[in-house]
Amino acid sequence: MENQSENQKSEKLLLFILAAINFTHIMDFVIMMPMNPVLQSVLHINNKQFSLLVAAYAASAGIFGFLGSFYIDRFDRKTALLALYTGFIVSTLGCALAQNYSLFLIARFMAGAFGGILGALVLAVIGDAIPEERRGKATGFVMAAFSAASIAGIPLGYFLAVKINWHMPFFLITAISLVVLIVAWKTFPSLRSHISVGIKQNPFALIKHIFGNSNLLWALLFTFVLMMAGLTVIPFISDYMVKNVGFEKDQIAYIYLFGGLATFYSSPAIGKLADLHGKRKVFIIMALISVIPILLVTNLPEVPKYVAFLVTTSFFIAFGGRFVPAMAMVTSSVERKQRGGFMSFNSSVQQLSSALSSMLGGLIISTTLDDKVSGFWKLGLIASIATVLCVLISKKVKQVE
C-alpha cells in the first residue's frame, strides 16, 4: 500500500510538471490569437501577414519535429525535455525583444522549432509513464493546460498587450517558464525505459517503420485532418468578433476566459469518459457535436454579448472535447520503444497542418471596404467537412497496447 501511495504521488507530480510545461508552450502559441487586432494596429499588418506569423511557428514546429523524430528516442526523457524547454525559453525571450514585424517573425519561427517537439515529448512521456487504463484521464489533465492558459494566461497577456505594449505577454511567458524549468530540473524523474539497450537505430528506420505500418499512417492522417478542423477557424475568431460582431478589443479576453473556465472542467471529465467508454466512441460523439458551434461561430451576426459568449464557449468546449480522446488514441497507436520518435513525427504533421490551415484561412478571408471580415463562413464549412472526415478516419486507428 505504501509503494502504491508513493507511485500515485510520483505520478501526480509528473503530470503536474508536464501540465506546467504544456501551459507555457501552449500559452506562447495561443496568446497570438486574441492579439490579432492589436498586432494589426501596432505593426501595421493585415490578416494575411498575421496568418504568416501563426504559420511560421507551426511550420517551424513541423520541420524540426520531423528532424527531431529521428533522434528523440535515443535520450533520457528528462534530458531531452530540459534541453528543449531551455531553447523554448530563449526563443520566447527573443519574441519579447523583437522590435519590428520581420524580427518578430524570425523569433516566432525559432520558438516553434522548440515548442513543437516539446509538445510531442510531453505526450510521449504520458504514453511511457501512465498505464493505458488511466491515459485518457492523464491526457485530459495535461491538456487542461490549454484551459489554464485561456483562463489566466490569455486574459492577463492580452491585458498587458493592450495596457502596456505587445512585448509584455512574452516577457511574462519567459518568467513563468524559468520557474517551471527550475522545478522540472529538480524534481522530474529520469525516464529511460523506452531506450533499446545497445541498439543504435538508423534515423531512416523510423520513417521506414511508419510508412510500412498502415495503423501509424492512419494516425498521422487523423492528426493532419483534425488540426485542419480547428486551425482554419481559431486564428481569426478575435478579429471577426471585433469587426463583425461588435466587440471592443479589450473585451476579446473574456472570450478566452469563459472558454478556458469551461474547458478546465470539461477536458478532464471528457478524458475520464474516454477511459470508461472508449476513446474512439467519445471522440466521435464530441466531433459530431463540435460541428454545430463551428458553424455558429463562423456565421455569427451582430448579437448581444452574452449570446456571443455562449457560442464561443461551446466552441472551445467541443474543440477541447474532441482533442483529448484524439491525442490519447494517437499516443496508444504506437509501441513504447518508438513512441517519442513517432509522437515527434506526429507533432510535425500536426504543426504543418496548422501552418497550412492558417495560411489557407489568410487566403480565403478578406476585409471589406467598411472594415468587415468577409468569407469566415467558408472556413467554418471547411472545418466542418474536415471534422466529419476525422470521424471516418478515426475508425482506422487501432490501439497497440
Side-chain angles (χ1 to χ4, degrees):
M1 287 291 292
E2 187 175 341
N3 286 338
Q4 185 178 358
S5 177
E6 287 298 320
N7 288 338
Q8 288 176 346
K9 287 181 181 178
S10 298
E11 192 174 293
K12 287 180 180 179
L13 178 60
L14 177 75
L15 290 175
F16 176 80
I17 295 171
L18 292 177
I21 291 172
N22 229 25
F23 169 80
T24 50
H25 100 77
I26 288 175
M27 183 178 169
D28 178 70
F29 180 70
V30 299
I31 191 63
M32 292 291 293
M33 308 309 174
M35 286 177 65
N36 187 349
V38 176
L39 292 175
Q40 285 195 44
S41 175
V42 298
L43 295 178
H44 307 293
I45 60 175
N46 55 33
N47 260 318
K48 289 181 174 60
Q49 290 170 302
F50 175 78
S51 70
L52 186 58
L53 285 171
V54 178
Y57 182 103
S60 175
I63 294 167
F64 286 93
F66 173 74
L67 296 175
S69 66
F70 297 149
Y71 302 101
I72 200 71
D73 284 323
R74 295 186 180 189
F75 301 99
D76 186 315
R77 298 294 194 215
K78 178 177 182 177
T79 302
L81 199 72
L82 294 179
L84 290 169
Y85 200 45
T86 300
F88 164 77
I89 292 170
V90 173
S91 302
T92 303
L93 180 61
C95 294
L97 296 174
Q99 294 300 311
N100 55 51
Y101 176 76
S102 297
L103 290 175
F104 188 43
L105 183 63
I106 293 169
R108 293 308 295 161
F109 185 87
M110 291 176 60
F114 294 100
I117 309 177
L118 197 61
L121 193 56
V122 165
L123 290 172
V125 171
I126 293 174
D128 289 348
I130 309 299
E132 164 62 26
E133 64 269 16
R134 296 198 299 277
R135 200 168 291 159
K137 180 181 177 182
T139 303
F141 177 81
V142 173
M143 287 300 168
F146 177 86
S147 308
S150 301
I151 295 168
I154 292 180
L156 178 57
Y158 187 77
F159 175 83
L160 292 173
V162 172
K163 299 300 181 182
I164 303 178
N165 60 57
W166 67 269
H167 304 277
M168 290 307 296
F170 299 99
F171 279 119
L172 174 66
I173 296 168
T174 301
I176 296 171
S177 299
L178 282 171
V179 175
V180 175
L181 178 66
I182 294 170
V183 174
W185 175 63
K186 289 182 173 293
T187 62
F188 200 87
S190 175
L191 295 172
R192 301 177 58 85
S193 63
H194 61 285
I195 299 175
S196 299
V197 180
I199 297 176
K200 294 290 186 181
Q201 187 183 52
N202 185 307
F204 293 98
L206 176 67
I207 294 181
K208 183 179 179 181
H209 175 71
I210 290 173
F211 283 91
N213 187 319
S214 61
N215 190 47
L216 298 184
L217 289 176
W218 281 116
L220 291 175
L221 181 62
F222 178 63
T223 296
F224 183 90
V225 180
L226 180 66
M227 297 312 297
M228 183 167 285
L231 268 294
T232 45
V233 172
I234 292 176
F236 307 102
I237 288 177
S238 58
D239 198 40
Y240 183 81
M241 289 295 159
V242 170
K243 293 178 179 177
N244 291 54
V245 184
F247 275 69
E248 299 295 330
K249 288 181 181 179
D250 57 2
Q251 294 175 321
I252 292 297
Y254 291 107
I255 291 175
Y256 295 88
L257 175 63
F258 297 146
L261 279 170
T263 54
F264 185 77
Y265 293 101
S266 65
S267 291
I270 291 168
K272 290 180 182 178
L273 289 174
D275 287 335
L276 289 172
H277 302 290
K279 298 169 182 61
R280 182 182 293 104
K281 180 179 180 180
V282 172
F283 167 76
I284 290 173
I285 292 171
M286 292 306 304
L288 294 176
I289 290 174
S290 72
V291 172
I292 298 171
I294 287 172
L295 294 176
L296 286 175
V297 81
T298 55
N299 290 276
L300 201 63
E302 192 165 339
V303 295
K305 297 297 185 295
Y306 75 90
V307 175
F309 286 137
L310 285 173
V311 171
T312 55
T313 299
S314 65
F315 173 86
F316 284 115
I317 290 173
F319 181 78
R322 68 189 189 185
F323 197 72
V324 169
M327 287 303 98
M329 283 172 58
V330 172
T331 304
S332 299
S333 70
V334 60
E335 295 174 356
R336 179 192 297 264
K337 64 181 180 181
Q338 292 175 318
R339 183 172 287 129
F342 174 73
M343 292 308 294
S344 184
F345 196 95
N346 184 74
S347 177
S348 173
V349 171
Q350 178 180 326
Q351 297 296 344
L352 286 174
S353 177
S354 300
L356 290 172
S357 299
S358 178
M359 292 176 70
L360 177 65
L363 291 172
I364 290 176
I365 67 171
S366 58
T367 303
T368 61
L369 292 176
D370 57 349
D371 201 32
K372 300 288 186 182
V373 174
S374 174
F376 198 36
W377 67 271
K378 297 178 184 177
L379 300 185
L381 185 60
I382 291 170
S384 299
I385 294 171
T387 299
V388 175
L389 283 175
C390 274
V391 169
L392 300 176
I393 297 168
S394 70
K395 297 180 180 181
K396 299 288 187 177
V397 181
K398 308 299 180 185
Q399 177 182 310
V400 299
E401 288 188 350

